[in-house]
């Protein structure tokens, strides 16, 4: 009888355990649901808002964007663009109004999905980092710190840059070429197919490493400065800038301008090196970009460090900041317009955009 009681108790325990596990599995399965229609719609709205923000902001400053790239890669022994105003006038005189926007189609084709992925990735990374931070600190009311926002922005920048880099690479070449360039790309598709066929698939990612390294401080600081500055203004309310826990469009533009200024200043030398590496393999590129600065020998860099070394040796340290002035004039309104457009579009679409709450 004793043995039967033991067996009976053991069986009851086993059955009870199985029932409990089944109930826990049921609860867990109910908790893991497929994305609802509302959730998918929210994701689509977020992507649309990010794409619109990128397209609007980049088109608004397209002439300055083109001039910046031309300054970054021009041969120092054949100066055509000596400054912002002179450069814009020269493009207008030699290529007309359309010349000011050359490459903007490919730029928007890249920046729209890039911006969409970047803003969406930032929101998702922020949510994940905030959840992990709250778990680690045990404080369910904890908010994102500037450093955590920097990390979320860096993640978003890397994801967006990597996803759309081939478009950025051919956009650089399309922007640089003129009517007298030895190599003519007829458009985005032709440039992509030509580079792929003549230089191989790896060529589409030339300059990727300095781009990724540069995007970490650039995008990271953009988001960190913008979000942190907004939060500080809302909480401290200096000069009455915040009304009802919100900021005016003008104040948001100022926050975006500050964010853009900080980010681009830190990351600019890497942007110059990226552009120069993208030109490698382009036939007769040395007629546009300096190799040794004196001949049309094939332009070659063995890597990012070599590109830095050659640029500084042949042109001086200041070459790492070529095009900084038009870029500064461009970046400040561009970043500001992008952030504000993103928030305005999401507000119109009825999507909640606060991350740190």
């Amino acid at each position: 009888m004793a043995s039967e009681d033991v067996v009976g108790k053991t069986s009851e325990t086993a059955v009870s355990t199985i029932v409990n596990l089944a109930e826990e599995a049921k609860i867990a399965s109910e908790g893991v649901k497929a994305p609802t229609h509302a959730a998918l719609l929210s994701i689509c709205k977020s992507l649309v808002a990010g794409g619109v923000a990128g397209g609007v902001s980049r088109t608004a400053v397209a002439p300055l964007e083109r001039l910046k790239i031309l300054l970054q890669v021009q041969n120092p022994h054949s100066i055509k663009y000596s400054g912002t105003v002179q450069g814009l006038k020269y493009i207008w005189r030699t290529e007309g109004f359309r010349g000011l926007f050359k490459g903007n189609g490919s730029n928007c084709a890249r920046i729209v999905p890039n911006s969409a992925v970047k803003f969406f990735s930032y929101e998702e990374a922020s949510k994940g980092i905030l959840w992990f931070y709250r778990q680690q600190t045990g404080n369910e009311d904890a908010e994102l710190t500037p450093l955590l926002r920097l990390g979320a922005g860096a993640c978003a920048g890397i994801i967006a840059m990597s996803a759309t880099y081939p478009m950025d690479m051919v956009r650089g070449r399309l922007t640089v070429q003129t009517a007298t360039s030895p190599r003519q790309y007829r458009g985005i598709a032709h440039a992509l197919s030509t580079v792929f066929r003549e230089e191989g698939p790896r060529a589409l990612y030339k300059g990727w490493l300095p781009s990724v390294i540069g995007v970490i401080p650039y995008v990271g600081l953009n988001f960190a400065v913008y979000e942190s500055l907004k939060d500080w203004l809302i909480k401290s309310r200096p000069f009455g800038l915040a009304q009802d826990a919100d900021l005016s469009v003008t104040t948001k533009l100022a926050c975006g301008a500050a964010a853009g200024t900080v980010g681009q200043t830190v990351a600019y030398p890497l942007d110059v090196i990226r552009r120069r590496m993208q030109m490698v393999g382009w036939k007769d590129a040395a007629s546009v970009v300096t190799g040794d600065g004196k001949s049309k020998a094939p332009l070659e860099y063995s890597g990012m460090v070599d590109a830095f070394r050659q640029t500084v040796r042949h042109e001086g340290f200041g070459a790492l900041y070529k095009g900084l002035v038009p870029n500064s004039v461009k970046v400040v309104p561009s970043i500001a317009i992008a952030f504000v457009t993103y928030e305005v579009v999401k507000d119109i679409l009825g999507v909640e955009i606060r991350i740190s709450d």
Side-chain angles (χ1 to χ4, degrees):
M1 290 294 293
S3 62
E4 290 179 358
D5 290 340
V6 171
V7 172
K9 290 179 180 178
T10 302
S11 299
E12 290 177 2
T13 302
V15 171
S16 177
T17 301
I18 293 172
V19 171
N20 290 335
L21 289 173
E23 290 178 351
E24 290 177 4
K26 181 180 179 181
I27 293 172
S29 65
E30 291 176 349
V32 182
K33 297 179 179 179
T36 62
H37 176 72
L40 290 174
L41 183 61
S42 178
I43 291 172
C44 290
K45 288 180 177 179
S46 179
L47 291 171
V48 168
V52 171
V56 170
S57 64
R58 198 50 64 97
T59 300
V61 296
L64 290 165
E65 173 69 12
R66 186 180 184 218
L67 177 60
K68 178 202 75 172
I69 296 176
L70 289 169
L71 284 167
Q72 284 179 336
V73 303
Q74 76 172 336
N75 192 314
H77 296 278
S78 178
I79 299 296
K80 294 180 180 178
Y81 316 98
S82 59
T84 305
V85 176
Q86 181 275 334
L88 291 174
K89 286 182 177 179
Y90 182 84
I91 294 172
W92 177 279
R93 186 173 66 254
T94 58
E95 301 180 58
F97 178 78
R98 293 183 64 182
L100 295 171
F101 290 86
K102 184 170 288 185
N104 189 54
S106 60
N107 195 16
C108 286
R110 176 193 68 89
I111 202 63
V112 168
N114 178 282
S115 183
V117 172
K118 180 173 65 179
F119 277 101
F120 178 72
S121 297
Y122 175 75
E123 290 193 357
E124 295 305 306
S126 296
K127 292 174 184 177
I129 290 174
L130 181 59
W131 176 86
F132 183 76
Y133 181 61
R134 287 174 174 174
Q135 293 294 312
Q136 292 298 308
T137 60
N139 180 9
E140 291 299 319
D141 297 322
E143 296 183 359
L144 287 172
T145 65
L147 185 60
L148 294 177
R149 289 194 177 104
L150 180 65
C155 291
I158 292 171
I159 292 170
M161 172 63 73
S162 299
T164 60
Y165 191 79
M167 295 295 297
D168 182 71
M169 191 272 184
V170 299
R171 192 265 300 197
R173 294 194 178 186
L174 283 166
T175 301
V176 166
Q177 76 177 14
T178 64
T180 59
S181 295
R183 163 66 70 183
Q184 290 291 323
Y185 297 119
R186 296 190 297 272
I188 302 170
H190 179 247
L192 284 170
S193 62
T194 301
V195 173
F196 184 88
R197 183 179 65 255
E198 295 185 354
E199 303 173 44
R202 291 184 62 183
L204 294 173
Y205 282 86
K206 283 178 179 176
W208 176 84
L209 181 58
S211 299
V212 168
I213 295 174
V215 86
I216 292 174
Y218 180 65
V219 178
L221 285 170
N222 280 344
F223 278 109
V225 173
Y226 180 74
E227 293 289 345
S228 299
L229 191 54
K230 273 179 53 188
D231 277 358
W232 177 76
L233 290 173
I234 289 173
K235 291 175 181 178
S236 61
R237 299 194 176 189
F239 313 113
L241 292 175
Q243 300 294 330
D244 300 323
D246 198 8
L247 300 174
S248 66
V249 171
T250 303
T251 304
K252 289 177 180 178
L253 281 170
C255 292
T261 301
V262 173
Q264 67 96 28
T265 301
V266 173
Y268 193 77
L270 286 158
D271 188 53
V272 173
I273 296 303
R274 170 181 60 147
R275 291 297 173 206
R276 296 193 167 207
M277 291 182 70
Q278 287 176 348
M279 301 301 127
V280 174
W282 187 10
K283 292 181 179 179
D284 300 314
S287 64
V288 180
V289 191
T290 179
D292 60 10
K294 299 177 182 178
S295 70
K296 293 185 178 182
L299 181 68
E300 291 294 341
Y301 300 123
S302 61
M304 182 181 70
V305 175
D306 182 54
F308 267 108
R309 181 180 59 79
Q310 287 197 48
T311 299
V312 173
R313 185 180 68 192
H314 295 306
E315 303 172 58
F317 185 78
L320 296 176
Y321 286 90
K322 280 186 172 180
L324 179 62
V325 174
N327 191 62
S328 298
V329 176
K330 170 200 68 110
V331 163
V332 171
S334 177
I335 297 297
I337 291 170
F339 276 120
V340 174
T341 302
Y342 179 67
E343 294 199 9
V344 169
V345 173
K346 289 200 73 175
D347 185 55
I348 293 173
L349 294 176
V351 182
E352 180 62 34
I353 60 176
R354 295 289 296 170
I355 299 297
S356 58
D357 290 345

